[in-house]
Amino acid sequence: MPEHVNPEAVEQLVQEVTSWYAEQIIAERRTGGPDSDRLQDLKEQLAACAADRQALQDADGDQVDEIAARYAARLKELKGR
């Protein structure tokens, strides 16, 4: 039986990505003229994080692994910016 990623560790990954989007929303709103398209995209990404966090509650091992892989890649991408 293969080992699956710890759901609590995945929750932490999702939280880190969520925090990044929330910080970007705040920063964008503080600019003199916020970019409404960027703001909308950030809000949509934040909503997707919330949906994935909720999905983790009932996810099986394979689903947890898939969410973990997506969020690990996204966090790496976001921190590279």
Side-chain angles (χ1 to χ4, degrees):
M1 187 170 191
E3 286 290 318
H4 291 288
V5 178
N6 179 326
E8 289 79 20
V10 181
E11 175 105 16
Q12 182 61 38
L13 275 173
V14 174
Q15 179 56 45
E16 285 186 59
V17 173
T18 297
S19 294
W20 189 91
Y21 285 120
E23 289 167 12
Q24 293 302 305
I25 289 169
I26 291 167
E28 189 64 36
R29 286 181 175 156
R30 287 183 177 159
T31 65
D35 179 334
S36 61
D37 289 338
R38 181 165 193 266
L39 207 47
Q40 182 63 32
D41 182 55
L42 290 168
K43 288 178 183 179
E44 288 171 5
Q45 295 296 334
L46 191 61
C49 290
D52 284 338
R53 175 179 268 159
Q54 187 63 38
L56 275 173
Q57 304 307 313
D58 300 316
D60 65 23
D62 290 338
Q63 291 167 323
V64 170
D65 291 349
E66 188 271 327
I67 292 170
R70 276 193 293 123
Y71 277 83
R74 187 172 304 165
L75 189 59
K76 184 177 179 182
E77 173 191 333
L78 295 175
K79 288 192 172 191
R81 289 184 179 193

